[in-house]
Amino acid sequence: MELPADVKKRLTLPFEEHFYAGHTACQGCGASLGLRYVLKAYGGKAIFTIPACCSTIIAGPWPYTALNAPLFHTAFETTGAVISGIEAALKAKGYKVKGEDGIMVIGWAGDGGTADIGLQALSGFLERGHDALYIMYDNEAYMNTGIQRSSSTPYGAWTTNTPGGKKHFLEQRPKKKVIDIVIAHKPAYAATASIAYPEDFMRKLKKAQTIKGPSFIQLFAPCPTGWRSPTDKTIELARLAVQTAYFPLFEYENGKYKINMPSPNKEPKPLEEYLKLQGRFKYMTKEDMEILQEWVLKEWEELKKKAELFG
Amino acid sequence: MPKKVVSGNYAAAYAAKHARVEVVAAYPITPQTSIIEKIAEFIANGEVENLQYVPVESEHSAMAACIGASATGARAFTATSAQGLALMHEMLHWAAGARLPIVMVDVNRAMAPPWSVWDDQTDSLAQRDTGWLQFYAENNQEVYDGVLMAFKIGEHEKVNLPVMVVESAFILSHTYDVVDMPEQEEIDEFLPPRKPLYTLTDFENPFSVGALGTPADYYEFRYKIAKAMEEAKKVIKEVGKEYGERFGRDYSQMIELYKTDDAEIVFMGMGSLMGTVKEAVDLLRKEGYKVGAAKVRWFRPFPKEELYELAKNVEGIAVLDRNFSFGQEGILFNEAKGVLYNTDAKPIMKNYIVGIGGRDLTVNDVKAIAKNMKEIIQKGKLDREIEWYHLKR
């Protein structure tokens, strides 16, 4: 389809679609948007590995696929290892990996498959320095099995195995900082991204293509089903997560941190604005929200300090 | 033909090299480690080209990385043992289900606890339902030949399944013996580059592997594996015959028969202990016993037809199992007995549990077993079905 010139001028993301209509994501799914952007970034030159997660279902059952790219479905904990093997095979067979015209090897896994059961394989992949990109799409729980907590689930969030009852809510632990664990491996490139800021995400995907060595992107992707949020609020929630500094956007490269916030000079918005849009936090009292707010600001100050010291 | 004095593990490493493997992903575990060390040495010394070695962080990841590599079209190899193989178990299903002809050497080692590093077949036999072909080597030569044949058989267009080549801990893995290795050009003729069923580099026709199989389709996927296993029997015999014609060692029989033509009693077993058994057969023959040995080379696919042909002509079969399925009996015994149930071949069969955890099986032990079998046959009645032969009394 040919676009009118004025539309072309305004378009900042590639127009081509490589994520087919007819995929089976829920209404308002943040992860499926993320997958669409990744496919746009690498066109038809990427090999995907997807472990057990929502995306297994979203891509469709045999013999269908919603991705215009070769896709290997693998076991839950193996994304880091399988992409290592694919990269090794491409090198053994003399294919060009990464770069402008090279093949991108992509691991696309949820937070459970990354922060929990897949952490060991992720660590191995990073430490061995494979030329591949691992994307953790973070919807903060095991959504595919019906909303159970992962170590990426935040303090206070209702899930089916950390319910909020008349007396307590069971999720008492803060969100695991997977990106910090990744950075401890000194990868070639690590970044956070959000589906609310596709241009920033696209820029980071392109960067991962040019940098030699392992890259990691933690993509914030709200899940209306699991978050008990309205399906038309997905992007707004993803934006608020950044604006409240709950999920700040930054990059790590060559030992340097760079914060890339959309409005860098603005103070973070109050967290309550973000929390109140979601049913999963409705069990929290004012005091609980303050605990979480405090955590968020403390982490934010820590990140700013890192960017200042290692900027 | 070049001969080398090598350990079983080095025989495996040389075979992988001569098969021109492209990706090796492996994790160290005793007594397997010297296989991957030797392969790493080949790379360090520039003796191999285009071989990527991925020193993974676990056996589970070793198999996962081999799966990724094999799905990308590469010839992939790994090796493991006991606990490592058990850790891989989930991914063994994945390799077979995705129809990837990965070759793996398992060095048979007993499972913990108590810790043991010695020979025992329970680790590999516990993987029997994963869809892997299983070849049991008697000696270092068979380890070498087995690995080369495994690639050809697994990669055959009618098979496309992974293959496990099994050797004994220490008895083979660390014991040196003369191994005949054909010239590289001859091997290249026998084993050309892999022609994969599919590869993930097909960007023109993107597809997905391993997607959700609904009840409408999953069943047929399994049937196709079952069918491929049946086809594999023919392929094994063809490739085994070709190997014999090219290199002088014939593997066209899935069960190697030793002096069974006129035998009344046959010892049946797998792996290195069959060397001892053959030695004992020679000695027993001198004493007037009509005995023979049947070495089951391929446990998967199981050589049902060959077993029947053997069983219909003998009076008794002593099945020697270096393994045990708790709550039942030795695994080979269980399988062999099951195969014969619906046939007219009904020899007396007794299960001797031997060698577990590295306990030595000597020629004298086999002789004692022969005497026991002879008594049973004369009485026409089993004293007991299962005997833990070495038990300290």
Side-chain angles (χ1 to χ4, degrees):
Chain A
M1 184 181 116
E2 190 54 30
L3 289 175
D6 62 320
V7 175
K8 264 188 182 168
K9 221 172 169 183
R10 279 183 280 130
L11 214 55
T12 55
L13 303 178
F15 175 67
E16 293 77 23
E17 288 293 353
H18 296 280
F19 190 44
Y20 299 136
H23 66 73
T24 56
C26 303
Q27 217 172 46
C29 169
S32 58
L33 266 180
L35 193 51
R36 179 175 163 229
Y37 297 140
V38 178
L39 282 152
K40 274 181 183 289
Y42 302 125
K45 214 64 194 291
I47 299 174
F48 282 78
T49 297
I50 299 183
C53 62
C54 290
S55 298
T56 316
I57 307 302
I58 293 170
W62 187 86
Y64 306 108
T65 176
L67 280 63
N68 182 24
L71 162 60
F72 193 83
H73 292 270
T74 189
F76 213 175
E77 65 281 47
T78 60
T79 310
V82 171
I83 59 175
S84 300
I86 292 173
E87 182 250 25
L90 290 174
K91 286 190 168 165
K93 292 200 151 289
Y95 286 97
K96 183 164 188 262
V97 181
K98 279 198 186 173
E100 273 302 300
D101 54 342
I103 298 171
M104 282 300 289
V105 180
I106 315 273
W108 172 265
D111 47 287
T114 303
D116 302 336
I117 197 169
L119 192 61
Q120 178 179 306
L122 170 64
S123 173
F125 153 72
L126 292 167
E127 161 285 308
R128 288 187 302 268
H130 295 278
D131 271 322
L133 167 64
Y134 191 119
I135 304 169
M136 160 185 171
Y137 68 94
D138 188 3
N139 52 29
E140 302 194 321
Y142 291 90
M143 297 311 185
N144 195 31
T145 43
I147 324 161
Q148 295 81 26
R149 90 178 280 271
S150 80
S151 57
S152 197
T153 301
Y155 172 83
W158 163 93
T159 69
T160 55
N161 63 348
T162 55
K166 282 178 187 146
K167 265 184 133 174
H168 308 285
F169 54 84
L170 296 186
E171 188 50 72
Q172 295 286 334
R173 298 291 304 155
K175 183 177 171 75
K176 189 194 252 184
K177 304 283 281 189
V178 177
I179 189 88
D180 289 352
I181 299 169
V182 167
I183 290 170
H185 290 76
K186 306 265 186 276
Y189 181 66
T192 57
S194 163
I195 54 122
Y197 300 93
E199 280 121 337
D200 175 76
F201 182 35
M202 191 68 67
R203 185 180 58 77
K204 287 167 175 168
L205 289 167
K206 288 284 180 195
K207 200 159 196 180
Q209 193 171 9
T210 58
I211 290 176
K212 207 176 153 38
S215 307
F216 177 88
I217 295 175
Q218 183 171 350
L219 176 71
F220 195 74
C223 167
T225 310
W227 292 13
R228 298 295 192 245
S229 58
T231 52
D232 58 352
K233 294 283 181 200
T234 299
I235 292 170
E236 191 178 330
L237 276 169
R239 195 181 299 129
L240 273 171
V242 175
Q243 289 171 339
T244 56
Y246 173 83
F247 193 87
L249 302 181
F250 70 97
E251 287 168 290
Y252 168 90
E253 194 185 343
N254 288 328
K256 289 186 170 31
Y257 284 80
K258 189 180 171 199
I259 296 174
N260 19 57
M261 294 296 264
S263 312
N265 298 323
K266 277 195 183 163
E267 281 301 304
K269 285 187 178 175
L271 190 64
E272 204 183 332
E273 242 184 88
Y274 168 71
L275 300 178
K276 71 183 182 199
L277 282 174
Q278 305 170 55
R280 63 173 174 160
F281 293 117
K282 75 174 181 191
Y283 301 91
M284 291 173 98
T285 61
K286 195 93 184 145
E287 292 78 53
D288 298 324
M289 288 193 185
E290 272 162 25
I291 291 171
L292 189 51
Q293 173 73 78
E294 220 171 284
W295 257 326
V296 165
L297 292 178
K298 197 169 148 276
E299 294 286 342
W300 172 232
E301 288 306 318
E302 203 179 286
L303 178 66
K304 283 202 291 186
K305 200 96 195 154
K306 280 182 197 165
E308 211 177 287
L309 289 170
F310 312 108
Chain B
M1 209 176 265
K3 288 185 200 298
K4 272 190 161 58
V5 178
V6 289
S7 66
N9 278 357
Y10 283 4
Y14 274 104
K17 177 191 173 190
H18 294 160
R20 297 193 186 275
V21 294
E22 292 162 304
V23 175
V24 172
Y27 189 75
I29 181 169
T30 301
Q32 172 278 126
T33 317
S34 54
I35 299 178
I36 53 160
E37 284 171 347
K38 192 72 185 167
I39 289 172
E41 210 177 289
F42 292 147
I43 300 170
N45 292 331
E47 291 177 47
V48 282
E49 286 167 27
N50 305 328
L51 170 53
Q52 293 282 320
Y53 172 50
V54 190
V56 280
E57 78 291 344
S58 78
E59 284 92 349
H60 194 281
S61 284
M63 189 43 62
C66 282
I67 285 168
S70 190
T72 312
R75 187 169 278 166
F77 176 84
T78 189
T80 192
S81 197
Q83 311 299 126
L85 182 62
L87 183 58
M88 278 182 186
H89 172 78
E90 181 196 16
M91 299 318 288
L92 298 190
H93 282 281
W94 218 281
R99 307 302 296 271
L100 300 170
I102 297 159
V103 171
M104 167 162 67
V105 171
D106 175 56
V107 185
N108 260 164
R109 165 185 158 181
M111 298 297 295
W115 279 115
S116 165
V117 293
W118 293 278
D119 190 16
D120 186 314
Q121 296 164 337
T122 309
D123 63 344
S124 55
L125 289 172
Q127 311 307 325
R128 106 195 143 156
D129 303 331
T130 54
W132 283 61
L133 281 72
Q134 290 197 0
F135 175 88
Y136 285 77
E138 181 196 324
N139 51 43
N140 296 1
Q141 183 70 59
E142 290 194 355
V143 173
Y144 179 86
D145 297 340
V147 169
L148 285 184
M149 286 189 288
F151 280 109
K152 181 135 178 162
I153 293 161
E155 291 173 9
H156 192 282
E157 56 177 7
K158 287 185 175 162
V159 182
N160 284 302
L161 286 172
V163 188
M164 200 182 290
V165 175
V166 185
E167 60 160 313
S168 303
F170 299 104
I171 297 167
L172 300 188
S173 70
H174 286 64
T175 306
Y176 281 67
D177 200 354
V178 180
V179 173
D180 238 14
M181 299 181 189
E183 300 288 351
Q184 184 66 57
E185 302 80 66
E186 296 175 293
I187 296 167
D188 291 345
E189 268 177 43
F190 168 74
L191 185 67
R194 181 184 162 207
K195 283 189 197 139
L197 184 64
Y198 62 86
T199 103
L200 295 176
T201 50
D202 189 357
F203 296 105
E204 299 305 311
N205 308 293
F207 60 94
S208 76
V209 186
L212 184 75
T214 66
D217 298 306
Y218 182 90
Y219 192 83
E220 277 68 26
F221 275 92
R222 296 294 111 173
Y223 173 72
K224 285 188 173 183
I225 295 177
K227 196 119 196 319
M229 270 284 179
E230 277 307 307
E231 288 290 335
K233 286 183 186 174
K234 276 180 241 157
V235 176
I236 284 168
K237 287 173 194 164
E238 277 166 28
V239 171
K241 187 165 176 278
E242 186 193 343
Y243 200 87
E245 283 162 2
R246 284 179 186 269
F247 307 127
R249 289 178 297 278
D250 182 276
Y251 288 89
S252 57
Q253 293 179 323
M254 295 176 75
I255 301 178
E256 185 197 329
L257 302 174
Y258 185 76
K259 301 192 175 173
T260 56
D261 282 352
D262 63 338
E264 288 163 5
I265 300 165
V266 166
F267 303 102
M268 195 161 112
M270 301 192 293
S272 63
L273 61 82
M274 294 310 286
T276 307
V277 169
K278 285 189 217 165
E279 180 80 20
V281 165
D282 289 347
L283 295 169
L284 284 161
R285 284 253 165 198
K286 281 182 194 155
E287 291 174 26
Y289 282 87
K290 282 192 170 176
V291 289
K295 182 176 83 187
V296 176
R297 280 192 176 122
W298 291 91
F299 180 75
R300 279 291 179 274
F302 198 76
K304 287 184 188 180
E305 301 78 9
E306 293 181 32
L307 175 64
Y308 168 72
E309 288 303 319
L310 169 75
K312 70 180 182 186
N313 293 318
V314 298
E315 291 182 46
I317 300 180
V319 181
L320 310 179
D321 266 308
R322 193 166 212 155
N323 60 75
F324 198 75
S325 173
F326 300 112
Q328 180 65 336
E329 56 204 359
I331 296 167
L332 181 60
F333 181 66
N334 183 257
E335 298 254 338
K337 215 171 46 160
V339 162
L340 298 176
Y341 183 82
N342 277 332
T343 71
D344 54 1
K346 295 276 188 284
I348 287 183
M349 292 177 77
K350 182 170 170 180
N351 193 191
Y352 296 86
I353 307 303
V354 297
I356 284 190
R359 188 70 58 86
D360 199 17
L361 180 81
T362 66
V363 168
N364 283 339
D365 295 331
V366 183
K367 280 176 148 183
I369 289 170
K371 284 188 187 109
N372 180 234
M373 277 301 286
K374 187 144 192 178
E375 280 167 26
I376 291 167
I377 288 167
Q378 276 163 358
K379 284 183 194 155
K381 192 165 160 269
L382 274 175
D383 49 357
R384 61 187 125 170
E385 195 176 31
I386 305 161
E387 182 172 341
W388 283 68
Y389 177 79
H390 307 281
L391 272 190
K392 292 168 189 164
R393 289 173 227 270

